[in-house]
Amino acid sequence: MKRADISRLVKDNIIIIALALPVILLTMTASGFMTVSNIKNIFIQISLYGIVAFAMTISIIGGEFDLSVSSLLGVVTILFTDIAKRVNVPVAILVCVSAGIVVGLINGFMVSKLKINAFVATLAMMLMLKGFALTYTNGRPINFPNPALNAFGNGDFLGMPNITLFFLGAFLITWYVLRNTKFGRNVYAAGGNLVVAKMVGINVDFYKTMLFVILGFATSVAGVLMAMRLSSGNTLFGGDLTMSVVAGVVIGGTSLSGGRGSAVKTFWGMLFIGVLFNGLQRLAVQANWQDVIKGSILIVVVSVDAILAQKIPLSQITTGRKRKEQISALPRDV
Amino acid sequence: MQEHILSMRGITKAFGSTVALDNVDLNVRAGEIHALLGENGAGKSTLMKILNGVYAADKGEILINGVPTVFRNIREAMAGGISFVFQELNLVLSLSTLENAFLGRLKSDSRGIIDWKSMTAEFNGFMKSIDFEMDPGRLVSELSIAEKQMVEIARALMLDSKIIVMDEPTATLSSEEIHKLFNIIRILKNKGITIIYISHRLEEIFQICDRLTVLRDGKNICTLDVAETTKPYLIEQMVGRSMDYEFPEREAHPIGEPVLDVKNLFTPGFLQGINFTLYRGEILGIAGLVGSGRSEIARAVFGADKIEKGDFWVDGKKVSIRSTMNAKALSIGLVPEDRKDEGSSIELSVMKNITITNLDKVSRGIVLNRRKEVREAKRMVQELGVKTPSIHHRLDQLSGGNQQKVVLAKWLYNDADILILDEPTRGIDVGAKYEIYLLIYEMVKRGKSVIMISSELPEIFALSDRIMVMYEGCLQTCVENHEGLKPEDIMGFALG
Ligand SMILES: Nc1ncnc2c1ncn2[C@@H]1O[C@H](COP(=O)(O)OP(=O)(O)OP(=O)(O)O)[C@@H](O)[C@H]1O
Ligand SMILES: [Mg+2]
């Protein structure tokens, strides 16, 4: 193998190498890290956020971004517990999923039709949802201890936690849709170059809207599962959702500039986040320090990735591999 | 022997398994205009990018005035007295014309505050000297492709370099602007400035160049005095075989009923009531200067721009075209003039760029049939002779002309009933052009209709059944293309 091939291999799989490091370190230092129950634990920890992460991957590839998911998750847990308590579970699920989709439609409408920047539009949505949740609950959590729901949320199927099955399901669906469907291909096209996508007659407004609808839907599913698991709804749930999910997507190697990325990358990225969080807990690092460490590691991983990308000769980059390189280097150099 | 201001010796450069340059020499004399010729992918741009440090050569040396020199980046090259007009425009769309013209060397006073006045004065002075009108405050994103090209040229020429490299500066210009550009090139030459000039328009070589070097498949073929050679000989050197004609012979093909009727088309501040009809199996050429509204017609019919008013009939039925989606649903296609910003996505591979115009053709239901997609993409790449190591390579690894072929390929693959081509052969070499003309004939023989916009009159003359001439947003005339028609007749209308 030529040197360039090796370095490309390294670059493409940097996330796996980045993952191996903490895994080895933690196996040596934290007792009980490399056990079946802890690994299961890690998966449980990332499963719900992971569902949202895959939806976020699609939207970032499509060139958009959603800050409102963190508030939406809290709203969904509240709606679910409250309605399940007062009416019944099927209605609660229906309302929650519809709410997620409606929020997605509104975000999508603001971005595609009103041409509001996604950052601003979803920031506004985040605030509104947060305000709605606080008004609805007066800031108090709603509890609904229902044994059946709780058993489902915490249950296993064939040794796999139920929520992890949802996570894996979301992974497979996202992987397939991005790779093998017209929808997925058009998302890449719209995220890669919006003007070009328009010029081949792609309904870019529809695709932009769908990105947010998928996110709303995925978040509502995650929210319902979370409410079942915890038997309660709370405005505070999901406070760190956006940050964790975007970190996972970016660490995995999906480009924030759109047009490149994959579900597989996000799978590894979320696993990395899971291992990291788990490890920090196991090492009994103080909670406030944990955030500092998480932030620093995010920077390190992403910059190592960027540096490696620049070391690779241009000719070695084919599509599917990340990196927006330009041969015409003028704007970069001047 | 005359002194060489620039000598590139034994330059070799490979990209992975593609050998772009193989032991290439280029010797340029001080004060001459030296043409660099060769087919698409011959290695011209790569050689120039080695000169300015965008790429490092695998082997070889560069002498400037006899002194071995290596520039590590464009900044160093500019500081060393060499400036560049790149084949791919390097403009920041969100900045003004003036800011782009001074990109990287904005003038400021001692406190670091930008000196807009002196930059504006210099810019206006320069534009005046080449007799070209341009508002320095306009955003580059609003400029036409030809205007963008002029900004790019201005940026390089204002630098006062000793050597200026121009990589296909005229590909996006019309005869009017080319004329102005040549005037300034002659002035520069009189000032003793050396110019390396790349173009696929061979007439230009005979108009302004002194000597030339031909590359083929990354190898030196010859270096000649322009005065000692002829166009057919040059073509032979470039493509490696003799070509008797630049254009295929016109064959009679049946022309049927109207497929597209455009009535009373107005666009905001541009088109002034355009009426025309396109028939089945017809090639309708549109001539006119850059900015005369040719592209605006194309974009309006394709739904890419908002129109003020106007009616469209397709196959005798009144239709509404409000978006590119409408147009595509009516089986209308457009190859846009701006390859970089509208035609192709460098984020995607050659294959994905091609099939994106019609994913239905390679999928069952909503699912892509990847095998079929690969097959179709390979077929198109072969038909158009796109030079690429594989269909999975990113587009920016192809030479400029080959990128243009991909933009054509994507719409030929789509197989629309009405195909609008806006400067389809821009930057494409003589040999490949011939093949493309054959493909266009092939289309109309199958009952498709083509609207072709081109700044190259010979191309319009060789292919069109009828020729429409535009002037300042108005349709001046529409004539049958027959033996007796002369370019002067058309130019007369184009100039108003
Ligand atoms: N960054 C790159 N990575 C891989 N291959 C490249 C890259 N740049 C150029 N090549 C290859 O090198 C060869 C020469 O390309 P180059 O751009 O120099 O051609 P050119 O003579 O300028 O052609 P054109 O007339 O089409 O502009 C081509 O085969 C091209 O595919
Ligand atoms: Mg080139």
Side-chain angles (χ1 to χ4, degrees), chain A residues 129-144:
Chain A
L129 288 172
K130 187 125 264 170
F132 168 78
L134 286 170
T135 325
Y136 194 99
T137 61
N138 268 324
R140 281 189 294 273
I142 301 177
N143 293 316
F144 176 52

Side-chain angles (χ1 to χ4, degrees), chain A residues 314 327, chain B residues 15 20 40-46 55 87 200 397 399-401:
Chain A
L314 207 67
I327 23 176
Chain B
F15 296 102
N40 296 131
K44 307 177 294 291
S45 300
T46 305
Y55 299 138
Q87 183 173 17
H200 288 291
Q397 298 169 9
S399 79

Side-chain angles (χ1 to χ4, degrees), chain A residues 259-314:
Chain A
R260 273 159 306 139
S262 74
V264 179
K265 288 185 194 313
T266 297
F267 180 86
W268 290 114
M270 284 310 288
L271 205 57
F272 182 87
I273 298 271
V275 166
L276 190 68
F277 287 17
N278 180 276
L280 291 173
Q281 274 165 19
R282 296 210 145 252
L283 296 173
V285 176
Q286 215 197 337
N288 297 340
W289 275 110
Q290 287 192 15
D291 283 347
V292 175
I293 296 175
K294 287 177 201 166
S296 329
I297 289 184
L298 177 64
I299 293 175
V300 170
V301 172
V302 174
S303 40
V304 166
D305 183 61
I307 292 165
L308 270 179
Q310 267 159 32
K311 287 253 183 296
I312 311 296
L314 207 67

Side-chain angles (χ1 to χ4, degrees), chain A residues 54-74:
Chain A
F54 291 121
M56 190 67 90
T57 308
I58 301 180
S59 91
I60 289 180
I61 290 173
E64 298 299 345
F65 193 82
D66 189 345
L67 292 170
S68 68
V69 287
S70 57
S71 297
L72 180 59
L73 191 82

